[in-house]
Amino acid sequence: MKIDNSAIDVLPIAEAPHRSAWRGSLLAGVGVLSFSGSFPGTVFAMRGFDPYLVAIGRAALAALVAVICLKAAGAPLLPPRAHLWSYALISLGVVLGFPLFSGLALDGGASTAHSAVVIGLLPAATAAFAVLRAGERPRPLFWAACAAGALSITVFTLTRGTGRLAGADVLLVLALLSAAVGYTEGGRLARETPGWRVISYALVLSAPLTVPVTAVLAVATPMEPSAESLAGFAYVGLVSMFLGFIPWYAGLAMGGIARAGQIQLAQPLLTLVWAWLLLGEEIGAATIAAWPCSCAWRSRRPAAGGAVWALDWCDGSAQDGADSVTR
């Protein structure tokens, strides 16, 4: 009888990694779909507001939503003291760094399409930080493929300019490094804490800076609000800065930061589509060709699809898969 019970118990354990990987990819895909509209949303917002106001103000808006959610759930407004350093890194990375650097790059002349392709290096950067901070160990072939993808993006960037990195390209590199740090730390914390609380704590921790700075910028900088600029600001503040992180962090925690993070290879293509549809940007042949080159190093893994927005499902799935993503 004891042997039978052991046999019964083994089966769910054997199936858990596959189930977790599938759910992690699914959730990461929902997050990527949300993030793919960030660049077009930023461009729309900057048509009526200062770039610095857009970058900092979106975090202040998201912090307000985060406080409401934390209070409604009866959760503490501040993160555990033991994890303050990790939450500070998330704040510096995805709350402040990425919005500021990417917004300045777009304001400095980089097109949405060009920026999307350069940011295609983000999965490789995230995988590197996953090794340093989360203890993950991708195979050597994975890194060889990462190098090939990075080379294709570098060649694209240099050939589209004067043969050297432009100021906007440097800002985009800083943006992707910032995001990689924030994604890694958030995915690591989401193994134990629901994803919505992870991003909420990072936003609240940044609020003493973002809220007063937003107030000053709102008074000191010119504003010409319009329907499209307000819509763009609302998108980057509510979706890009908060809602998108709920499935994204849950997916990273469940599927593995390096592995599930590769779903973001689809983001440049989605952003190119939004840039064409919403902004009327012309997508050159070199831009289109650079994207599949960067995707060529994607190893085989479960496909992402669908949209699951239930917070309980996201959080429960992340907890179920947390123990299976690191070996």
Side-chain angles (χ1 to χ4, degrees):
M1 187 67 177
K2 184 175 181 180
I3 296 176
D4 290 341
N5 289 339
S6 299
I8 292 173
D9 290 339
V10 168
L11 291 177
I13 296 175
E15 293 174 357
H18 174 74
R19 183 183 64 178
S20 297
W22 183 87
R23 287 185 178 179
S25 296
L26 173 66
L27 290 167
V30 177
V32 165
L33 181 61
S34 303
F35 295 149
S36 66
S38 297
F39 283 168
T42 300
V43 171
F44 278 127
M46 290 193 301
R47 290 178 179 177
F49 303 101
D50 181 82
Y52 289 96
L53 178 57
V54 173
I56 306 299
R58 63 191 271 184
L61 173 60
L64 174 61
V65 178
V67 169
I68 294 174
C69 290
L70 289 170
K71 293 292 288 184
L77 290 180
L78 293 176
R81 293 176 61 88
H83 295 148
L84 277 180
W85 172 243
S86 292
Y87 281 106
L89 288 177
I90 297 172
S91 298
L92 290 173
V94 298
V95 176
L96 299 173
F98 182 83
L100 183 59
F101 291 133
S102 62
L104 292 177
L106 291 169
D107 184 62
S111 68
T112 301
H114 178 90
S115 302
V117 174
V118 175
I119 293 296
L121 288 171
L122 182 53
T126 302
F129 281 107
V131 171
L132 296 174
R133 291 290 298 169
E136 297 188 5
R137 295 293 182 267
R139 297 177 180 178
L141 183 60
F142 175 89
W143 294 115
C146 279
L151 179 62
S152 69
I153 297 298
T154 302
V155 171
F156 164 80
T157 303
L158 294 177
T159 56
R160 297 297 288 175
T162 58
R164 62 179 183 274
L165 288 176
D169 293 320
V170 174
L171 290 169
L172 289 171
V173 171
L174 292 174
L176 73 89
L177 291 176
S178 299
V181 171
Y183 289 168
T184 301
E185 291 299 319
R188 193 169 64 87
L189 291 175
R191 294 172 182 172
E192 301 177 356
T193 304
W196 72 270
R197 287 177 58 180
V198 172
I199 187 60
S200 293
Y201 286 146
L203 290 165
V204 171
L205 199 62
S206 306
L209 173 65
T210 59
V211 172
V213 171
T214 298
V216 171
L217 290 173
V219 174
T221 59
M223 291 189 293
E224 297 179 2
S226 62
E228 63 178 11
S229 63
L230 290 172
F233 186 80
Y235 186 91
V236 296
L238 299 177
V239 179
S240 302
M241 187 55 64
F242 185 73
L243 294 176
F245 278 99
I246 297 172
W248 176 245
Y249 276 156
L252 293 182
M254 187 187 327
I257 297 170
R259 181 176 59 188
Q262 303 313 303
I263 298 296
Q264 201 163 32
L265 287 168
Q267 184 170 328
L269 178 61
L270 292 170
T271 301
L272 292 177
V273 173
W274 301 137
W276 175 64
L277 287 175
L278 301 176
L279 301 173
E281 289 190 7
E282 294 185 2
I283 311 301
T287 302
I288 297 175
W291 175 75
C293 287
S294 69
C295 289
W297 49 274
R298 178 180 178 178
S299 58
R300 200 180 86 182
R301 55 185 45 82
V308 181
W309 287 98
L311 297 183
D312 291 339
W313 193 88
C314 292
D315 298 336
S317 298
Q319 300 305 313
D320 290 342
D323 295 335
S324 67
V325 298
T326 305
R327 292 287 183 265

